[in-house]
Amino acid sequence: MADRIRMGMVGGGRDAFIGAVHRNAAALDGEIDFVAGALSSTPEKARASGRDLGLRDDRNYGSWEEMLERELARPEEERIDFVSVVTPNHVHFPVAKAFAEAGFHVICDKPLVHTVEQARELMAIVERTGVVFAVTYNYTGYPMVKQARHMVREGRLGELRKVIVEYNQGWLATRLEETGLKQASWRTDPARSGVAGAIGDIGSHAENLVATVTGLEIDTLCADLTAFVPGRRLDDDGNLLIRYTSGARGVLIASQIEVGEENDLRLRVYGSEGSLSWRQEDPNELIFKTLAGPTQRLTRGNDYLCEAAQRASRIPSGHPEAFLEAFANVYLAAARSMRARAEGREPDEFESDYPTVIDGARGVHFITKTVESAADDRKWTEARWGG
Amino acid sequence: MADRIRMGMVGGGRDAFIGAVHRNAAALDGEIDFVAGALSSTPEKARASGRDLGLRDDRNYGSWEEMLERELARPEEERIDFVSVVTPNHVHFPVAKAFAEAGFHVICDKPLVHTVEQARELMAIVERTGVVFAVTYNYTGYPMVKQARHMVREGRLGELRKVIVEYNQGWLATRLEETGLKQASWRTDPARSGVAGAIGDIGSHAENLVATVTGLEIDTLCADLTAFVPGRRLDDDGNLLIRYTSGARGVLIASQIEVGEENDLRLRVYGSEGSLSWRQEDPNELIFKTLAGPTQRLTRGNDYLCEAAQRASRIPSGHPEAFLEAFANVYLAAARSMRARAEGREPDEFESDYPTVIDGARGVHFITKTVESAADDRKWTEARWGG
Amino acid sequence: MADRIRMGMVGGGRDAFIGAVHRNAAALDGEIDFVAGALSSTPEKARASGRDLGLRDDRNYGSWEEMLERELARPEEERIDFVSVVTPNHVHFPVAKAFAEAGFHVICDKPLVHTVEQARELMAIVERTGVVFAVTYNYTGYPMVKQARHMVREGRLGELRKVIVEYNQGWLATRLEETGLKQASWRTDPARSGVAGAIGDIGSHAENLVATVTGLEIDTLCADLTAFVPGRRLDDDGNLLIRYTSGARGVLIASQIEVGEENDLRLRVYGSEGSLSWRQEDPNELIFKTLAGPTQRLTRGNDYLCEAAQRASRIPSGHPEAFLEAFANVYLAAARSMRARAEGREPDEFESDYPTVIDGARGVHFITKTVESAADDRKWTEARWGG
Amino acid sequence: MADRIRMGMVGGGRDAFIGAVHRNAAALDGEIDFVAGALSSTPEKARASGRDLGLRDDRNYGSWEEMLERELARPEEERIDFVSVVTPNHVHFPVAKAFAEAGFHVICDKPLVHTVEQARELMAIVERTGVVFAVTYNYTGYPMVKQARHMVREGRLGELRKVIVEYNQGWLATRLEETGLKQASWRTDPARSGVAGAIGDIGSHAENLVATVTGLEIDTLCADLTAFVPGRRLDDDGNLLIRYTSGARGVLIASQIEVGEENDLRLRVYGSEGSLSWRQEDPNELIFKTLAGPTQRLTRGNDYLCEAAQRASRIPSGHPEAFLEAFANVYLAAARSMRARAEGREPDEFESDYPTVIDGARGVHFITKTVESAADDRKWTEARWGG
């Protein structure tokens, strides 16, 4: 193995749930070193967080601008290879843009940015600089999601007819944003979260999961968004009917007020000859049904799975893998793409198997169109993504 | 116990799946005798079916008109108490109307009739004659559905916010109507099935389940109906967004082309303080979640359930009850209402716990409005039921 | 269809849970009429129960002896065809013996009798008189149990290696027999229940399930029986290691003190090439695993099942069947065997598909040997059943 | 945070499944650095494996003896803090002994060693040197196992009556050891695996899980061990009846020939007032049943769990954690104990929450007694562990 890939992180300091997830995910396979950080927008908090996490003082920065400047000043063989952007949404754009333009690879949390224009600008920069740009739609990192994608592509389901995707959560069923919980406060604040609440935070995962597994393209959609909790400014519940360009139909549900639901992302895909069902809370299995014969339960870690599913798996069947392992798969593929670039070659299909800036941009487009439909009396709205 | 209640059946001859279900349901508790029938629209087939089932020759009729006339000619203490109407949909109206007008009680399959006008006419007859008129929305006969209704009424969920109801089937994923299967052919024929396919056949069960458990009233709806199977004239897949008059939101899915799904009717109800989930294929349990504390799994047959749930249950917990027992609960309650009437008293709340002609009429209204929305470019359509 | 089969019942009066189950099961298919009864050992209670259930006065008997005598005095075409014995265990023997010797068919609850000698005497009577004698090991009436038996016989599992059977209940975890509950009091009383408690009441179901599905014959067993609840005289928990004559190994667990378990009878059968798993609380599915390939979930009501499973099923897949339907299958097969006898022909394989007096006798042998092992310091004990 | 803990590894080279698991587990939290290794018993294979994994040449050793000698020669602040022993079983003893005697902390795979004498010798060394010595009974690292232990200790189950523990696998159902698969070959070889096969490899996990959750001590046991696969010299299937010193009863099942079972470790604990059920393949939930009231499903990541369960959890509820996270919990607690020692203080209860050399020794005792019972005609055998 070549040297480890060096990561700098922006955001993710004390109290930030998602920063720790990204660090665990990056650490898991021992191929990425976390060497630098600007872990908060408040310099002293940033440095305190960095000390907690064992960052060396000279790479424990007070701001991302400082990190960018001083990392660029280091010799290339020491410099971070990529920046991991795990801030609230509104900070994604400036950080990702600045580092990508400076030639650093980027791994950015979702939703990518606030507007389609920003997204297209990032796409253009990636196109121009050739940097690796991954977006942590982590759920598509699950091996059984890769297996589902494989089976759709192989035609095992026949012609796709219908997709039901749900992302059921209940943690925002009460006015949690008033308790001081940071996760709740920025997610319900338009200035930091963007134009959407639940649809942005988790609806975009649902959209990405469908697009990844099925390849279907949205044609039109009709969205009913609601803010149930009094005083909340962004939707905490959204329900959509979707028509795909192929003629397939879709239902998308994303809610954060469904009391007692934890993180219940689930997907069902129905074709003319077979159907698939997968649930994030039980991620090691994939249910396959056909026109005849018993229901099949495929489980992770078995020889009968496709190569992408097998490669994305670390341990044998029955030894469950879960959220962090799937998240780590995004990091690992992106890191291996970076290594391939460093070695002057194109990443192979497995090294390239991570969500890109294009997935991120399409997600922003989806969010935008959903909000547009809801605002326009919930009318059916054209929502094709030009690409 | 008084004498048994005497049943005459219209429809349900050889090859008719649902007729046998009704007979099993009626027989289960030993309180109803099946004594007369006009089991097919073809007289010789009707009589042959009656002989198969052990009907006496003098009550094994060639047509429902004959049955009506000759039963009326019998002394009252021998005459059938009620007619069970289990024909294809288009025959429900004339039979139910004629028998109800003649003073017979009626148990009629769903959807009740083809048009709202017919439904209102039946309502008026029932109002006038005072006959017992049950509609076999059998799924609300399940004890755990009664428990769900109870918990909603008790306020255990707080204010209702959202309902997701699904009825997933796959048996019409191929062009089964061309194989000669009777169940498939009439259900896909507008002349016999009515204006809707899946929405009429199973969507109406979903509508009734929501109305029964939650009491919510539909305000507006937006429906996307599709006939996926080439050549099919009625919808085999339907997806709806719903707004209830209380401000609650809903999603309703009814499909008969979801490959591999058997009879997957499921309901989730979310309130401000709790949520409920029930699945017909696992009907002995009800899942209750709250803002804090572990998920609770309530199971049929336990002391902690409401009285309606306990009374609707025949055997102890862990000894599962299922479809036929729930179906039998509709028959049993209706039969006990008939007995109460015979005894000159009002049925009590448990004897009255069955779906009525009003539920049936509201279902027809729902089907009509759904088809209307779908036909009008899937626009949001006003769908209030005046009652 | 010929005339209905006429049933007389002994036991099963007011407050007796199992009597109602037998009556529901007998009624379900409309082929059996319940026409006579001696429903309690107390004459006045017997007659009151009979009135509750609508028995005619002249066939509502005060004792089984009276029923036997007076039914014999009736003309053959009116006389009951069979007696259903649903009393506490100690009454099974005299009733079953008397009626069988008089030429009546018998359906008897389990465990059959108290001693192997009694069981052999009944076997001899059945052999001599040729009556139909069914024992209500109702769990083998489930369609998916028949499917499991079929797959074992077809060799789908290869050579059988191991069987794990469990019957987990918790309803006797406290001293329920002191609360006056009749079910609890006789089951924990050696004079009425026999030498065993849990092992007799439910362990015998477990034994029968294994024998039916696998055909394995017990060679030796080692039993650890315990009465956990203070003051209880019979075992309320039993755990056995078993060696079968073929070399297969077994574990059998039967308990009534496992708090919170309802009626969790489950079976796992492992062979050299495949395995099966079935659970009574989820009876419509059967799980099949093989050396390679996904796990298969077979569900009731599908074309791919064996004929015995399909015939034992009344309604389509996804419309669950449960306990009463399985129970009814025992009654229905026995009744059809009676009809075949009446028609002067041998019942075919489906009409004969019910547990017989021999199953009942083998169960008594199993109970006896289990208690013997437990009493002898839990030593391994020879337990072959000569047949 | 202080400096990272430095790990050296013995065993776990190319093709060794468990080595990678240990490395992932050690890496996950970013508190342990993998800096040295002697990754195979074959020097050139050891070094090649080390190069694959990015070990520096001067710490990539050809043998564990070399590693021990040369690490001791380093300055203390560079030297490894602990050795991770992930070799086949027969190598555990010499390596663990040598490193512990030299003052290194040890994390050793299970079963600890081959004989009780070896185990007691290690216990004595740990007692004398004061090193941290963890045994990777990884399944007790699961948060919900800690919750189960907590609830037993709190008396939520009342007096414990019965334990059923199973470890069902099927991967050795065929003669896999002849295919060249290293995992299979050493596990079925007495010289490397020890006196037991399945009982040593997985039965010991089951024993540890019971001991950890319940604190029950085995009094006597009766074991039926079988080698089903022709030519196999060690048991591939074991079934035990157990009596605990408290009067509780137990059943323990450990098998590697149950076709299609993956890694199905499951535990049920029944007390006089409640019961618990946990399954490794669905590790984020714990089922709690009581004498009255609905079944409760506790899920990882919630506030209502005990502190040990909450601390052992990294991410919110609904975001599943699994095998590697549980494994990492053993490493993390052991590493924090090492840090506490380095800081001159006693580890607190959470830092000490890992299986120790005493757990390991008790496991060896259990294996020894199980084999003894099986060999002595499966007699009940005294199996108390003196401690």
Side-chain angles (χ1 to χ4, degrees), chain B residues 20-329:
Chain B
V21 166
H22 282 253
R23 286 188 297 269
N24 285 151
L28 181 64
D29 294 292
E31 302 196 14
I32 295 170
D33 278 340
F34 168 40
V35 299
L39 301 176
S40 171
S41 52
T42 314
E44 56 272 34
K45 195 171 157 202
R47 291 208 183 82
S49 297
R51 279 192 299 273
D52 285 354
L53 296 167
L55 283 184
R56 277 171 32 190
D57 284 349
D58 63 338
R59 301 183 87 170
N60 183 11
Y61 303 107
S63 71
W64 64 264
E65 292 90 343
E66 183 192 356
M67 179 162 104
L68 176 57
E69 182 187 329
R70 288 176 46 193
E71 287 292 324
L72 277 172
R74 289 186 174 272
E76 206 169 334
E77 67 277 11
E78 266 184 30
R79 200 182 285 170
I80 57 171
D81 292 294
F82 75 97
V83 65
S84 172
V85 187
V86 300
T87 63
N89 301 344
H90 65 298
V91 186
H92 292 179
F93 180 66
V95 178
K97 181 182 171 187
F99 279 82
E101 284 184 329
F104 290 100
H105 304 299
V106 178
I107 297 183
C108 184
D109 213 322
K110 43 48 59 187
L112 180 59
V113 287
H114 279 192
T115 69
V116 174
E117 291 66 35
Q118 293 170 334
R120 290 198 183 278
E121 189 172 340
L122 290 182
M123 282 172 64
I125 295 168
V126 170
E127 179 75 24
R128 193 172 69 235
T129 60
V131 300
V132 170
F133 196 115
V135 178
T136 49
Y137 283 121
N138 51 291
Y139 296 111
T140 53
Y142 274 113
M144 299 314 280
V145 170
K146 297 180 191 294
Q147 175 66 19
R149 181 184 63 185
H150 171 79
M151 292 173 77
V152 170
R153 287 180 182 169
E154 292 276 292
R156 301 283 296 279
L157 280 69
E159 186 187 2
L160 299 192
R161 288 173 169 173
K162 184 170 182 179
V163 178
I164 306 174
V165 64
E166 307 170 55
Y167 204 142
N168 304 294
Q169 292 185 337
W171 68 292
L172 289 175
T174 59
R175 203 160 176 190
L176 210 58
E177 55 267 45
E178 298 205 327
T179 64
L181 183 74
K182 198 187 159 188
Q183 301 313 314
S185 66
W186 76 254
R187 275 187 176 75
T188 55
D189 173 8
R192 288 175 286 172
S193 188
V195 294
I199 283 295
D201 192 30
I202 60 175
S204 59
H205 274 300
E207 181 274 333
N208 183 257
L209 183 61
V210 173
T212 301
V213 170
T214 69
L216 291 173
E217 297 173 18
I218 295 175
D219 185 15
T220 58
L221 57 78
C222 169
D224 189 6
L225 305 188
T226 306
F228 275 109
V229 173
R232 190 164 287 164
R233 289 175 291 162
L234 292 173
D235 60 283
D236 48 28
D237 182 78
N239 307 298
L240 284 80
L241 301 181
I242 296 173
R243 292 195 151 197
Y244 294 96
T245 56
S246 72
R249 303 293 187 252
V251 177
L252 185 152
I253 295 170
S255 182
Q256 297 181 313
I257 56 86
E258 292 173 356
V259 172
E261 303 297 1
E262 297 189 339
N263 198 41
D264 185 29
L265 171 63
R266 45 171 100 181
L267 174 67
R268 286 172 281 173
V269 182
Y270 298 99
S272 55
E273 294 175 27
S275 66
L276 286 173
S277 172
W278 180 79
R279 293 183 56 232
Q280 193 271 151
E281 293 189 3
D282 202 1
N284 293 282
E285 73 172 32
L286 177 67
I287 304 300
F288 180 48
K289 300 182 181 184
T290 57
L291 288 169
T295 293
Q296 293 177 40
R297 177 176 177 264
L298 292 78
T299 48
R300 192 195 49 75
N302 281 296
D303 293 346
Y304 53 73
L305 301 177
C306 69
E307 187 173 354
Q310 293 199 42
R311 287 202 186 203
S313 186
R314 288 163 187 78
I315 46 178
S317 66
H319 301 69
E321 287 187 349
F323 183 87
L324 287 173
E325 289 76 11
F327 218 114
N329 286 336

Side-chain angles (χ1 to χ4, degrees), chain C residues 161-162 166 173 224 226 228 237 239 243 249 253 258-261 268 270-271 275 289 378 380, chain D residues 161-162 166 173 224 226 228 237 239 243 249 253 258-261 266 268 270-271 275 289 378 380:
Chain C
R161 287 174 169 172
K162 184 169 181 181
E166 307 170 55
D224 190 7
T226 305
F228 275 109
D237 182 79
N239 307 298
R243 292 195 152 198
R249 302 292 186 254
I253 294 171
E258 293 174 355
V259 171
E261 303 297 0
R268 286 171 280 174
Y270 297 100
S275 67
K289 300 181 181 182
R378 293 158 279 130
W380 283 86
Chain D
R161 289 174 169 173
K162 182 167 182 183
E166 306 170 54
D224 189 7
T226 305
F228 275 108
D237 181 79
N239 307 298
R243 291 194 151 198
R249 304 291 186 254
I253 295 170
E258 293 174 355
V259 171
E261 303 297 0
R266 47 171 98 180
R268 284 172 282 174
Y270 297 99
S275 67
K289 300 181 182 183
R378 292 160 280 130
W380 283 86

Side-chain angles (χ1 to χ4, degrees), chain D residues 309-332:
Chain D
Q310 292 198 45
R311 288 203 185 203
S313 187
R314 288 163 187 80
I315 45 177
S317 66
H319 301 68
E321 288 187 348
F323 183 88
L324 287 173
E325 289 77 8
F327 218 114
N329 285 338
V330 176
Y331 267 84
L332 192 58

Side-chain angles (χ1 to χ4, degrees), chain C residues 234-310:
Chain C
L234 292 173
D235 60 285
D236 49 26
D237 182 79
N239 307 298
L240 284 80
L241 301 181
I242 296 174
R243 292 195 152 198
Y244 295 96
T245 55
S246 72
R249 302 292 186 254
V251 176
L252 185 151
I253 294 171
S255 182
Q256 297 181 312
I257 56 85
E258 293 174 355
V259 171
E261 303 297 0
E262 297 188 337
N263 198 41
D264 185 28
L265 171 63
R266 47 172 98 182
L267 174 68
R268 286 171 280 174
V269 183
Y270 297 100
S272 54
E273 293 174 29
S275 67
L276 286 173
S277 172
W278 179 80
R279 293 184 55 233
Q280 191 273 149
E281 293 190 3
D282 203 0
N284 293 281
E285 72 173 32
L286 177 67
I287 304 300
F288 180 48
K289 300 181 181 182
T290 57
L291 289 169
T295 293
Q296 294 177 40
R297 177 177 176 264
L298 292 79
T299 48
R300 192 196 48 76
N302 282 297
D303 293 346
Y304 53 72
L305 301 178
C306 70
E307 187 172 356
Q310 293 199 44

Side-chain angles (χ1 to χ4, degrees), chain D residues 41-198:
Chain D
S41 51
T42 314
E44 55 272 34
K45 196 172 155 203
R47 293 209 181 81
S49 297
R51 278 191 300 274
D52 285 354
L53 296 167
L55 283 184
R56 278 171 31 191
D57 283 350
D58 63 338
R59 300 184 89 169
N60 183 9
Y61 303 107
S63 71
W64 65 264
E65 293 89 343
E66 183 191 357
M67 179 161 106
L68 176 58
E69 182 187 332
R70 289 176 47 192
E71 286 294 323
L72 276 172
R74 289 186 175 274
E76 206 168 333
E77 67 277 9
E78 268 184 28
R79 200 184 286 170
I80 58 170
D81 291 295
F82 75 95
V83 65
S84 171
V85 187
V86 299
T87 63
N89 300 345
H90 66 298
V91 186
H92 292 180
F93 180 66
V95 177
K97 181 182 173 188
F99 278 83
E101 284 184 329
F104 290 100
H105 303 300
V106 178
I107 297 183
C108 184
D109 213 322
K110 44 49 54 187
L112 181 59
V113 288
H114 279 191
T115 69
V116 174
E117 291 65 36
Q118 293 171 333
R120 291 198 182 278
E121 190 172 341
L122 290 182
M123 283 172 63
I125 294 169
V126 170
E127 178 76 24
R128 193 171 68 237
T129 59
V131 298
V132 170
F133 196 115
V135 178
T136 49
Y137 283 121
N138 49 292
Y139 297 110
T140 53
Y142 275 111
M144 299 315 279
V145 170
K146 296 181 192 294
Q147 175 67 19
R149 181 184 63 186
H150 171 79
M151 291 173 77
V152 170
R153 287 181 183 169
E154 294 275 293
R156 300 283 296 279
L157 281 69
E159 186 188 2
L160 300 192
R161 289 174 169 173
K162 182 167 182 183
V163 178
I164 304 174
V165 64
E166 306 170 54
Y167 203 142
N168 304 295
Q169 291 186 335
W171 68 292
L172 289 175
T174 60
R175 204 159 175 190
L176 210 58
E177 55 267 46
E178 297 206 328
T179 64
L181 182 75
K182 200 187 157 184
Q183 299 315 313
S185 68
W186 77 254
R187 275 187 175 77
T188 55
D189 173 7
R192 289 175 287 172
S193 187
V195 295

Side-chain angles (χ1 to χ4, degrees), chain C residues 94-204:
Chain C
V95 178
K97 181 181 170 189
F99 278 83
E101 284 185 328
F104 290 99
H105 303 299
V106 178
I107 297 183
C108 185
D109 213 322
K110 43 47 61 188
L112 181 59
V113 287
H114 279 192
T115 69
V116 174
E117 290 66 36
Q118 293 170 333
R120 291 199 182 277
E121 190 173 341
L122 289 183
M123 284 172 63
I125 294 168
V126 170
E127 177 76 25
R128 194 172 67 236
T129 60
V131 299
V132 170
F133 196 115
V135 178
T136 50
Y137 284 121
N138 51 291
Y139 297 110
T140 52
Y142 274 112
M144 300 313 280
V145 170
K146 296 180 191 294
Q147 175 67 18
R149 180 184 64 185
H150 172 78
M151 292 173 76
V152 169
R153 287 180 182 170
E154 293 275 292
R156 300 283 296 278
L157 281 69
E159 185 187 4
L160 299 192
R161 287 174 169 172
K162 184 169 181 181
V163 178
I164 305 174
V165 64
E166 307 170 55
Y167 202 141
N168 305 293
Q169 292 187 336
W171 68 292
L172 289 175
T174 61
R175 202 158 175 191
L176 209 57
E177 56 267 47
E178 298 204 330
T179 64
L181 183 75
K182 199 187 159 187
Q183 301 313 314
S185 67
W186 75 254
R187 275 188 175 75
T188 56
D189 172 9
R192 287 175 288 171
S193 187
V195 294
I199 282 296
D201 192 29
I202 59 175
S204 60

Side-chain angles (χ1 to χ4, degrees), chain C residues 4 17 31 34 55 84 115 129 144 189 203 218 241 260 264 276 330 342 346 348 383-384:
Chain C
R4 296 188 182 178
F17 142 64
E31 303 196 11
F34 168 39
L55 282 184
S84 171
T115 69
T129 60
M144 300 313 280
D189 172 9
I218 296 176
L241 301 181
D264 185 28
L276 286 173
V330 177
E346 276 304 295
D348 68 24
R384 291 201 187 203

